Amino acid sequence: MPRRTLIAGTGSYLPERVLTNRELESMVDTSDEWIQERTGIRERRMAAPHEVTSDLALAASRQALEAAGWGPEDITALIVATISPDMPMPATACLLQAKLGATRAAAFDISAACSGFIYGLQIADGFIRSGIHERVLVVGAEILSRVTDWQDRTTCVLFADGAGAAALRASGPEENERGIRSVSIRSDGNLWDLLYIPGGGTQAPQSERVVAERLQFIKMKGNETFRVAVRTLEMLVVETLRDNGMEAADLALLIPHQANIRIIQATAERLGLSMDKVMINLDLVGNTSGASIPIALDQAVRAGRVAPGDHVLLEAFGAGLTWGSALVTI
Ligand code: ACO
């Protein structure tokens, strides 16, 4: 039996400050009822002014390392999925590496928005199964509140801050039934303009115009994104189970990207999966993009909703457009 990539420990961190729907009512023309009904979100967390993305990543990483029983020097590759890095250069993973003391690691970021953690899992899985790296830490960390337009009601009610991490290692001879069974990632760059941040890159470098036109913030065609997300995710989860010779009944838990309760319900319905087998935290956490899945995974593990031997399906969809799934035996 070839070795698999096993999740040795998970961690997550949410900033203290809670931002409720009621507070948003005083900031933009919206209502608690609209937000709850159309998205499922009740409140979300906001980073403190002094916090940067690598700080959130650090807190989540420390928890994951503790759960895995690793020291920071055990990590040989450190991958951070983020679209809200501390700075354009260097990678947030390198800044995290320094804070964590992960001196032996090769550290780099990946940019795949909400699918970033699944992309990171596939890279880590390749590293580990090929024997290139023994111990990989994959982190999703975002401070989306800093790239959100607080005057745009169509996006500011959705996005939030947080971080999640997973420590990954090769399975041992007696553990080969556990670990990542498959990871599938895809993208369609033709649909890039459904969800993007126009300013701050080479196309529109930071300037007075960028600030005046609010180009440094997320732009989203929500309705079109919603429709592509539902269609794509329904196909993706069915294909993932089929490719693994499994049925929905074999799953202990579905852990979807936490973007919108209606997207999640549509995916669960397509699988014939009851909602008690679906991990939901977006009511309290909102959409934390790359951090969404690792936070949900960690909360599920710590709440005892999954145990060793359980099959779990992770799935995500986001800017790029990108999407992906992973079938993991915990
Ligand atoms: N409060 C009140 N009304 C609002 C708000 C708000 N916050 N936002 C929009 N509306 C209004 C609109 O202006 C529109 O009004 P109109 O009919 O008078 O024009 C009406 O509500 C309906 O707007 P829609 O955009 O059609 O609303 P929809 O039901 O599609 O919900 C939402 C919008 C929540 C954004 C949804 O489309 C969605 O979740 N999209 C997908 C988001 C997603 O999954 N993104 C990918 C991951 S994120 C990432 O990668 C970073």
Side-chain angles (χ1 to χ4, degrees), residues 247-306:
E247 293 174 4
D250 297 319
L251 293 178
L253 199 64
L254 172 70
I255 304 185
H257 168 48
Q258 307 285 314
N260 188 312
I261 191 70
R262 292 179 292 137
I263 298 177
I264 296 173
Q265 282 163 343
T267 312
E269 225 164 83
R270 179 69 182 81
L271 286 178
L273 206 60
S274 65
M275 286 304 281
D276 61 335
K277 279 190 151 190
V278 182
M279 179 65 196
I280 305 285
N281 66 9
L282 96 160
D283 51 337
L284 303 177
V285 177
N287 181 348
T288 56
S289 192
S292 171
I293 290 198
I295 293 172
L297 171 65
D298 180 55
Q299 290 184 348
V301 169
R302 284 173 197 270
R305 292 193 66 181
V306 288

Side-chain angles (χ1 to χ4, degrees), residues 30 34 38 114 153 157 195 222-223 259-260 262 287 317-319:
T30 191
W34 191 95
R38 305 309 292 166
C114 303
R153 70 173 183 172
V157 301
L195 185 51
N223 202 274
N260 188 312
R262 292 179 292 137
N287 181 348
F317 183 91

Side-chain angles (χ1 to χ4, degrees), residues 160-178:
D161 306 339
L168 303 165
R169 65 164 171 83
S171 58
E174 294 94 46
E175 297 173 318
N176 281 342
E177 280 306 313
R178 295 175 59 197

